[in-house]
């Protein structure tokens, strides 16, 4: 499979390695263009059904994932698959949980944890990662 999202496309974060990951809010319409090959849904309740491969990470709004182990596994899978597939992470609004997950992916990609939130705010959404505990989660993600 080849990746067909373009850097700079709406909601697409380009990581330093060149991997592309789309972040989105599920309350908005699915963006035009190709569907993802793989999604990680960051929600407190069962996600919507989709036609592509997806996983659900239980993550209530404005909070943290209910399982740190599952979060690390799913985000590591997303990062790995983004090397050759269209990958997205999505929550309700596309900022807090999605931004936090994207910052964790940036850490996996080699961005220092202390710089990851700033990286995502510069390259994805200036209001990404909404709470102090989400910022702390990113700082501790690699440990």
């Amino acid at each position: 499979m080849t990746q067909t999202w373009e850097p700079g496309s709406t909601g697409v974060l380009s990581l330093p390695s060149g991997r592309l990951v789309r972040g989105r809010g599920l309350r908005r319409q699915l963006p035009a263009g190709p569907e993802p090959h793989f999604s990680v849904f960051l929600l407190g309740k069962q996600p919507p059904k989709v036609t592509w491969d997806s996983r659900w990470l239980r993550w209530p709004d404005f909070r943290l994932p209910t399982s740190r182990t599952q979060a690390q596994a799913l985000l590591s899978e997303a990062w790995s698959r983004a090397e050759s597939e269209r990958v997205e992470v999505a929550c309700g609004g596309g900022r807090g949980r999605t931004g936090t997950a994207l910052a964790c992916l940036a850490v996996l990609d080699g961005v220092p944890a202390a710089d990851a939130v700033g990286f995502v705010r510069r390259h994805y959404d200036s209001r990404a990662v909404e709470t102090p505990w989400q910022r702390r989660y990113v700082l501790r993600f690699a440990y």
Side-chain angles (χ1 to χ4, degrees):
M1 288 182 239
T2 56
Q3 198 175 94
T4 59
W5 286 338
E6 296 294 323
S9 297
T10 302
V12 175
L13 175 68
S14 181
L15 294 167
S17 66
R19 287 173 167 88
L20 303 175
V21 180
R22 181 172 74 189
R24 76 175 173 108
L26 294 171
R27 290 191 292 264
R28 291 190 286 279
Q29 194 171 19
L30 185 67
E35 292 179 341
H37 295 117
F38 179 68
S39 293
V40 178
F41 294 119
L42 316 165
L43 298 168
K45 61 181 182 177
Q46 187 76 33
K49 298 247 186 260
V50 293
T51 58
W52 56 86
D53 192 15
S54 67
R55 305 282 186 281
W56 172 30
L57 176 58
R58 188 179 297 270
W59 190 332
D61 202 8
F62 294 106
R63 302 209 193 290
L64 298 175
T66 59
S67 169
R68 182 180 181 90
T69 303
Q70 184 187 26
Q72 288 175 323
L74 287 178
L75 294 174
S76 292
E77 180 180 0
W79 178 80
S80 179
R81 291 179 72 162
E83 184 173 19
S84 61
E85 297 177 60
R86 290 186 304 273
V87 171
E88 75 170 3
V89 294
C91 67
R95 287 202 174 104
R97 293 167 286 180
T98 295
T100 303
L102 290 173
C104 291
L105 293 176
V107 170
L108 290 172
D109 206 60
V111 174
D115 300 333
V117 171
F119 177 84
V120 170
R121 287 180 174 169
R122 279 190 308 281
H123 300 287
Y124 171 69
D125 187 309
S126 63
R127 294 179 287 172
V129 190
E130 296 173 317
T131 68
W133 43 92
Q134 289 172 340
R135 288 190 292 280
R136 279 193 303 273
Y137 185 83
V138 173
L139 283 172
R140 297 175 181 152
F141 181 73
Y143 303 104

